[in-house]
Amino acid sequence: MWAFIHKLGSPKWFYGISAKLQPWFWAAAALLLITGSLWGLAFAPADYQQGNSFRIIYVHVPAAFLAQSIFISMAVSGLVFMVWKIKVADMAAAVMAPLGAAMTFVALFSGAVWGVPTWGTWWMWDARLTSMLILLFLYLGVIALRGAFTSRDSASRAASVLAMVGVINIPIIKYSVDWWYTLHQPASFTLTSRPTMPTEMWLPLVIMVLGFYSFFIALTLMRTRSEILRREASKRWVQELVNGQMMKVPAEETR
Amino acid sequence: MSLCLQARKLSCERDDRSLFKGLDLDIRSGEIVRIEGPNGSGKTSLLKILSGQLSDYEGELFWNGAAMKSVREHFLANLLYLGHAPGIKSGLSPLENLAWYQALSGESSEGKGGEEQRLEALEQVGLAGFEDIPAGQLSAGQQRRVALARLTLTPRALWVLDEPFTAIDRHGVAALERQLIEHAQAGGCVLVTTHHELAASTPIRRIALG
Amino acid sequence: MQETGLQETGSHSSSHSSSSSSLYGADATADVLPVPLLEHKGGLMIAVKATLVRDLTLLLRRRGEVLNPLVFFALVITLFPIAISPDPELLATIAPGLLWVAALLAALLSLDSLFRSDYDDGSLEQLLLAPQPLAALSVAKVAVHWLLTGLPLALMAPLLGIMLALPVGSYAVLALSLALGTASLSLIGAIGAALTVGLARGGVLLSLLVLPLYIPVLIFGAGAVQAAILGDGVSAHLAILGALLAASLMSAPWAIAASLRISING
C-alpha cells in the first residue's frame, strides 16, 4: 500500500504512466464532444417553451458540473499533498486552478447568453448563477494566494489549505444562496431545473458531460506533465530525458 | 536524567535548493553545540527543524530516543528557543512580556512569587529599573536582554539560540557566554548559531554546514 | 505513557550508537550533573487566559486601532444617503443590507493586524513553540479581535440604524445578529489573516480570500433583520447564525493553526 502510494507520488513514474494514458483521454474527449455536440445541436428536438435557445444547455451544464468537480479534485489533491507530501498532487492542483476558473467563467458566460432569450437580460441574480459567481471568486482567491508567495513550498501549502477551506464552504454557500433566492424571488423560472426532459434531449447532455470530463482529465495530465518538467528541471532523469531528445533532433537535422 | 536530541539522515530542501543532506546529529547533556556556516547555508532552517518549527525535512528526529512526533509536547516543555526577532511586544512592559512567557508554558505567573521571579530575572540581565517601561522605548539591545531573561526565568534543559549575541554590548556578551557554560555544566545543552567569536576557553563542539 | 517512551530510548540509542560519534559516548555524559527534565504540565487555561489578557492590554493601549473600524462603519453608512437619496422610505428598505455590509467590511479592515505584529516581532514563533495546542491559543486571539471589533460594531449598529430610518422593532435583532455573525466572521477571517501574515502586502489579498466565505453569514444576518422588519419570526435566522458560529468554532481553529505554521516558514 505504502509502496504504491509513494510510487504514485514519484514524478518520474507519473510522467511515464501519464504519457500512456493521455492519448486515450484525448481520443475519448474528441469522440464524445463531437458526437454530443452534433446530436445536441442538430438532432435533438427543440424545447417546446424555449425553442432552439435551450441548446446552450449542452455547454452550460457540463461546464458548471466541471467547475464544481475541479474545485473538489483540487481540494482532494491539496489534502493528499498535505498528508502524504506527494508533490505530484500539488502540481496537479496548481494546473487545475486556472482550468477550473476558466470552466466557471464558461458556465457564467453561457448562463448570461442564455439569459438574453429567456429573461430578456444578460444578468439575473439567479441562484445558480450567483453561486457560480462566488465559485469564480473562490478560484481567483486560490490562484492569487499561490502567486503571492515567493517560496513555492509555502505557496503550495497555503493554496492547499485554502482549497480545503473552500471546499467545506461550497455546500454552505450553495444552500444559503438557494435559500436567499427562494426568499426573494419565489417560484420563478430557473434555467435548468427540468423535471421532465425527454430521453433524446438528455442523452446528448450526458455524452457532453462525459466529453467535458475526458477533456479535463486529458488536459490536466498534459499540463501536469509540463509542470513536472518545469519543477524537476534540476533532477537527473529530466536532464537525461531532455538531453536525449535534443540529441536526436540535431542529429536528424544535420543529416 | 540526561537528555539527548538526535537527528538521523536529516535533509532539507527548500524550493529545489538543497540546504543540507544526510545530516546525523547527536546533542547530549552538557554540550554546547555551535552550528557554523556561511550566510544562507541553512543554519536557521536547521535550528527551526531541530526546535520543531519546520516540518518539511526528510529524515528523523528523536528526543530521548523516542520519535519526535510522539513526544512533541514533552520536547516543547523542555525547549527554550530564541529566534532572530526577540519576541518582545513593544506595547507591553518587560514584566508583562515575561509574564506571558511564563504563563504560556502553563506555569501560573500570578501572585507575589511570580512577580518576584520576574524582577529577579530582569535584574540579572541588567534591566533593574526598567521593569515598567513599555518595551518599545527600550533599545534593541535591552529588548534582546528582556528575551534573554527568559533563560533564568523559565528554566529549560535545551536551549536553541539563533544569533543570541546580536545587539548586546561586550559586558552582556561575557555574561551570556558564562551563562551558556554554566547551563552546560549543570547538564543542560545549548544549540547556538553566532557570528560572534566565543572565548577560546568555552568548551564547544562545532558543526559546519554548507 | 512516558515510561514506555523512555524504555524505547535505550534500544534506539544503542542501535544508533555505532553511527554516532564516539567522542560523546555514554562515559562522557556520565560525569555531567543530571538535568531536571520537565514533564508537560498542561495548564492550557493559564496560557489561554494570559494570551487573552495580553492581547486585550495591547489593543486597549492603542485605542485608535479599536476605534478606527467603528469610525469607518459610521463613515460608510454616511456615504449611502449621500450617494443614493436621503428619502427615509427608500433608506429603510435597504438599511438592513447596508448596515450588514458596512459592518462586515469594518470587521474585515482590522483583520490584517490580527497576527501581523506578532509575526513581525517574533512572538508568533514563540506562540507556535508553546507546549499548548496552537488552535486553542489562536482562538484566544480571535476572541479578543471579536470583543474589540465585532461586539462594538454590533452595539453601535442600532445608532446608525436610526440614521437610516430602520423601522422600530428590528434594532435588537440587528445588534444580536451582528454580534453572532461577526464572531463567525472573525473566525473565518482569521484563516485568511493567518495565510497572508507572511506576505508583505497581504491586505487586499486577504479580502479577496475571505469575502466569498463571508456570504452565508451575510445572507442570514441581513435576512434576520429583514425578517424582523417584515414581522416574520427571526428565531430561524438566528438559529442558523448560531449554527454557523458553532461550525466555524469547531473547524476554523485547526485551519488557523495549520495556516500559521505555513506562514511562519514562508
Side-chain angles (χ1 to χ4, degrees):
Chain A
M1 180 64 188
W2 272 107
F4 177 73
I5 286 179
H6 276 277
K7 200 173 157 201
L8 203 69
S10 137
K12 189 181 174 186
W13 184 83
F14 185 87
Y15 191 83
I17 195 80
S18 56
K20 285 183 202 122
L21 288 174
Q22 208 184 341
W24 293 100
F25 281 105
W26 281 120
L31 195 71
L32 288 166
L33 287 177
I34 291 169
T35 321
S37 37
L38 277 180
W39 191 350
L41 297 184
F43 299 106
D47 186 72
Y48 71 100
Q49 220 178 346
Q50 296 183 47
N52 276 324
S53 70
F54 99 97
R55 291 184 201 278
I56 207 162
I57 200 175
Y58 296 116
V59 177
H60 178 76
V61 168
F65 267 35
L66 211 51
Q68 293 173 21
S69 312
I70 294 179
F71 206 99
I72 295 169
S73 42
M74 198 168 74
V76 171
S77 306
L79 184 73
V80 169
F81 170 67
M82 292 292 274
V83 175
W84 289 289
K85 299 186 177 179
I86 291 176
K87 285 185 183 162
V88 174
D90 175 59
M91 297 181 200
V95 302
M96 277 180 207
L99 195 60
M103 277 303 154
T104 316
F105 184 78
V106 168
L108 273 175
F109 183 74
S110 56
V113 172
W114 198 353
V116 176
T118 322
W119 299 317
T121 169
W122 285 89
W123 185 261
M124 278 281 273
W125 288 97
D126 164 72
R128 198 173 294 260
L129 286 182
T130 309
S131 11
M132 247 334 137
L133 185 64
I134 299 169
L135 185 65
L136 181 64
F137 289 133
L138 286 174
Y139 271 118
L140 294 180
V142 174
I143 296 171
L145 185 66
R146 192 182 279 276
F149 281 86
T150 41
S151 151
R152 202 186 55 217
D153 292 345
S154 302
S156 304
R157 289 202 191 88
S160 303
V161 168
L162 187 64
M164 285 188 268
V165 170
V167 93
I168 294 171
N169 274 280
I170 284 176
I172 303 175
I173 293 173
K174 205 171 153 44
Y175 281 117
S176 44
V177 167
D178 283 350
W179 182 86
W180 157 83
Y181 184 71
T182 50
L183 188 79
H184 288 271
Q185 269 142 320
S188 83
F189 181 79
T190 49
L191 282 181
T192 50
S193 63
R194 328 239 74 210
T196 51
M197 197 190 242
T199 319
E200 54 272 36
M201 273 163 106
W202 66 255
L203 212 55
L205 186 60
V206 171
I207 293 174
M208 282 302 276
V209 169
L210 290 176
F212 266 66
Y213 274 98
S214 311
F215 172 71
F216 158 65
I217 294 169
L219 196 62
T220 306
L221 286 177
M222 188 182 88
R223 297 205 52 211
T224 308
R225 281 163 59 80
S226 51
E227 185 77 10
I228 289 175
L229 290 188
R230 209 164 60 80
R231 288 202 199 176
E232 304 264 294
S234 59
K235 295 274 157 64
R236 200 207 239 153
W237 72 268
V238 174
Q239 283 171 350
E240 275 169 8
L241 188 85
V242 175
N243 285 338
Q245 281 175 355
M246 297 242 282
M247 298 282 260
K248 256 185 238 164
V249 177
E252 281 164 11
E253 274 173 358
T254 46
R255 228 169 260 165
Chain B
M1 189 151 64
S2 72
L3 70 123
C4 75
L5 177 65
Q6 293 167 306
R8 289 286 166 263
K9 297 200 171 51
L10 208 61
S11 304
C12 178
E13 195 182 86
R14 305 208 74 189
D15 292 330
D16 296 334
R17 206 164 60 88
S18 173
L19 292 176
F20 43 83
K21 222 172 182 177
L23 202 67
D24 278 359
L25 213 62
D26 281 74
I27 300 154
R28 289 171 190 280
S29 276
E31 281 193 303
I32 300 177
V33 177
R34 177 175 171 186
I35 315 280
E36 295 175 334
N39 290 340
S41 59
K43 297 189 296 278
T44 295
S45 295
L46 178 60
L47 286 198
K48 283 191 168 183
I49 289 172
L50 291 176
S51 60
Q53 292 182 62
L54 254 180
S55 58
D56 53 344
Y57 59 88
E58 273 168 43
E60 274 170 287
L61 286 180
F62 298 97
W63 171 243
N64 288 333
M68 181 65 90
K69 279 196 182 95
S70 58
V71 290
R72 193 177 150 79
E73 283 205 326
H74 184 256
F75 169 73
L76 289 179
N78 287 290
L79 167 77
L80 204 157
Y81 172 87
L82 291 184
H84 280 211
I88 297 301
K89 282 264 152 236
S90 57
L92 297 179
S93 73
L95 273 182
E96 290 166 324
N97 268 303
L98 291 180
W100 181 62
Y101 281 115
Q102 239 174 341
L104 209 51
S105 50
E107 290 161 37
S108 177
S109 59
E110 283 163 23
K112 253 192 160 168
E115 182 90 7
E116 266 166 29
Q117 281 175 0
R118 290 195 286 277
L119 283 170
E120 204 175 300
L122 282 175
E123 203 185 320
Q124 277 203 5
V125 292
L127 285 177
F130 292 95
E131 302 90 0
D132 288 318
I133 295 173
Q137 294 174 20
L138 301 177
S139 73
Q142 284 174 317
Q143 290 191 18
R144 175 68 63 172
R145 280 162 183 264
V146 178
L148 289 172
R150 291 174 56 204
L151 295 178
T152 42
L153 179 67
T154 53
R156 297 283 182 274
L158 174 63
W159 292 357
V160 178
L161 312 174
D162 199 353
E163 300 287 349
F165 296 100
T166 315
I168 294 182
D169 58 27
R170 207 152 41 126
H171 184 69
V173 167
L176 179 56
E177 248 175 77
R178 238 185 352 262
Q179 206 177 355
L180 299 189
I181 296 171
E182 278 167 16
H183 182 61
Q185 280 168 351
C189 66
V190 181
L191 196 59
V192 63
T193 66
T194 177
H195 292 292
H196 165 81
E197 272 313 314
L198 295 168
S201 58
T202 320
I204 51 173
R205 186 153 69 96
R206 291 154 198 276
I207 291 172
L209 286 184
Chain C
M1 185 68 192
Q2 211 53 50
E3 279 305 312
T4 57
L6 288 174
Q7 268 160 15
E8 274 176 45
T9 305
S11 63
H12 263 298
S13 45
S14 64
S15 66
H16 284 298
S17 58
S18 54
S19 62
S20 66
S21 71
S22 57
L23 240 168
Y24 298 89
D27 48 342
T29 48
D31 47 2
V32 170
L33 291 172
V35 61
L37 280 185
L38 304 171
E39 284 304 316
H40 175 54
K41 290 193 211 77
L44 176 61
M45 286 330 289
I46 295 173
V48 167
K49 194 180 151 217
T51 309
L52 280 173
V53 170
R54 179 188 87 131
D55 277 30
L56 274 173
T57 322
L58 274 170
L59 274 174
L60 290 176
R61 284 194 187 153
R62 279 174 294 155
R63 296 222 177 84
E65 275 186 38
V66 179
L67 287 177
N68 284 347
L70 298 177
V71 178
F72 176 84
F73 186 29
L75 205 55
V76 170
I77 290 298
T78 314
L79 296 180
F80 282 104
I82 294 172
I84 300 169
S85 141
D87 173 24
E89 261 177 55
L90 177 65
L91 285 178
T93 55
I94 54 172
L98 289 189
L99 286 163
W100 250 94
V101 170
L104 181 146
L105 292 177
L108 180 69
L109 200 68
S110 57
L111 262 180
D112 190 45
S113 61
L114 181 55
F115 299 111
R116 175 90 41 204
S117 77
D118 281 354
Y119 179 83
D120 290 340
D121 66 22
S123 37
L124 193 59
E125 268 176 340
Q126 301 292 341
L127 195 73
L128 260 67
L129 285 177
Q132 313 287 354
L134 180 58
L137 295 177
S138 38
V139 168
K141 288 190 71 69
V142 176
V144 172
H145 177 260
W146 176 75
L147 272 177
L148 295 183
T149 322
L151 196 59
L153 285 173
L155 295 176
M156 189 182 165
L159 196 68
L160 298 171
I162 296 174
M163 293 165 72
L164 289 180
L166 192 71
V168 188
S170 55
Y171 290 88
V173 176
L174 173 66
L176 192 59
S177 69
L178 271 173
L180 270 175
T182 48
S184 309
L185 298 186
S186 292
L187 279 164
I188 300 167
I191 304 174
L195 281 172
T196 53
V197 70
L199 305 170
R201 285 181 195 79
V204 183
L205 180 62
L206 170 62
S207 4
L208 182 60
L209 303 187
V210 158
L211 279 176
L213 305 176
Y214 276 3
I215 285 168
V217 178
L218 178 66
I219 287 176
F220 291 103
V225 186
Q226 202 84 261
I229 293 174
L230 295 173
D232 299 345
V234 292
S235 51
H237 294 81
L238 293 179
I240 293 175
L241 278 179
L244 286 175
L245 176 58
S248 359
L249 206 51
M250 278 191 296
S251 48
W254 312 109
I256 298 171
S259 310
L260 284 177
R261 288 190 201 284
I262 294 165
S263 286
I264 207 80
N265 295 334

